Amino acid sequence: MPFNIPILLTWLRVALIPLVVGVFYLPENWLPLHDRNFTATLVFIVAAITDWFDGFLARRWNQTSAFGAFLDPVADKLMVAGALLVLVQLDRCNAILAFIIIGREITISALREWMAQIGASKSVAVSSLGKIKTAAQMVAIPMLLYYEVVFGAIDTRYWGEKLLWLASVLTVWSMCYYLQKAWPLIKEKAGSLT
C-alpha cells in the first residue's frame, strides 16, 4: 500500500466521518445544539476540502496510485452516506432523498467496477452532470448540518433542503445517463451468457 500526502489526506477524510456523526450523540450539557451543528459543519467542510486537495496534490506531484484511486471514492461515499444518515436521524433530511443518493452511489460504484473488469471503464467516466450533482450535495449537506440562519440572512435550512432536492434529481438523471452509456455493453454481455 503506497503512503504519501494525498493518501494521508484521504485517510484523514475517513477518520473525520465518525466525528461528523458522533458530535450529535454527545450529551447536551457537554455541547449545546448550536455548537454541535457548528462543529459537524466545520468538520464536514474540512473533509470536503481534503477531497479536492488530495486529488490536486496527487496529480500535481504525480503520486496517483491504484490504491488512491480506490480509497478516494470510498472515502467520499462514506462521508456523504454518514452525513445523510445523521441528517435523517435528526429529521433534517427526507429518508427517501437519502436513499436515492446513497442507492445511486452503490449502483454506479458497482457499474464502474464491472465496466472496469470488462475493460470499458471510460464509458462510465465522471461526467459534468455528475460533478454538478456532487457540488449540489456538498453544499446542501453542510447547510443541513448547520441548520440555522447565517449572517441574519441566509436560511441554511431552506437552501439546504432545496439543494438536496436538486442533488436528488441530478442523482437520478446522472444514474440514468451512466446506465444508458453502459446499456449496450450490458446487453452484449448478457446476450453472450445466454
Side-chain angles (χ1 to χ4, degrees):
M1 177 178 69
F3 193 77
N4 51 41
I5 298 295
I7 287 179
L8 179 64
L9 287 172
T10 306
W11 278 118
L12 173 64
R13 188 157 74 257
V14 172
L16 290 174
I17 296 162
L19 289 177
V20 172
V21 175
V23 73
F24 288 106
Y25 291 92
L26 293 173
E28 182 81 30
N29 59 341
W30 286 15
L31 204 60
L33 183 59
H34 168 78
D35 294 340
R36 283 187 267 175
N37 289 343
F38 178 78
T39 303
T41 304
L42 185 63
V43 172
F44 186 89
I45 290 170
V46 168
I49 290 168
T50 68
D51 179 26
W52 175 83
F53 205 52
D54 63 9
F56 170 78
L57 290 178
R59 288 185 297 276
R60 183 165 190 135
W61 294 344
N62 198 25
Q63 292 183 340
T64 56
S65 66
F67 182 73
F70 154 76
L71 186 62
D72 185 65
V74 169
D76 297 346
K77 286 158 185 46
L78 286 174
M79 183 174 76
V80 168
L84 287 173
L85 289 174
V86 83
L87 288 171
V88 168
Q89 177 74 24
L90 294 167
D91 202 25
R92 298 180 186 181
C93 169
N94 185 304
I96 294 170
L97 298 185
F99 174 75
I100 288 169
I101 292 170
I102 294 169
R104 180 262 189 205
E105 296 302 338
I106 294 167
T107 303
I108 298 305
S109 293
L111 178 66
R112 284 194 174 123
E113 184 179 331
W114 180 71
M115 295 294 277
Q117 286 178 359
I118 64 170
S121 57
K122 289 190 178 174
S123 299
V124 284
V126 176
S127 70
S128 57
L129 185 59
K131 289 178 182 177
I132 295 168
K133 180 269 307 177
T134 299
Q137 78 186 19
M138 295 307 266
V139 174
I141 290 171
M143 284 186 155
L144 292 172
L145 287 170
Y146 192 67
Y147 216 59
E148 296 176 33
V149 175
V150 180
F151 308 123
I154 303 168
D155 186 350
T156 62
R157 296 172 200 162
Y158 175 82
W159 290 109
E161 286 174 13
K162 297 297 179 204
L163 282 170
L164 199 65
W165 272 100
L166 174 63
S168 299
V169 169
L170 293 173
T171 290
V172 173
W173 189 1
S174 66
M175 183 174 72
C176 292
Y177 170 80
Y178 290 127
L179 289 171
Q180 180 187 17
K181 296 272 283 180
W183 188 249
L185 281 168
I186 292 170
K187 271 178 62 175
E188 179 187 315
K189 292 295 176 184
S192 67
L193 294 175
T194 56

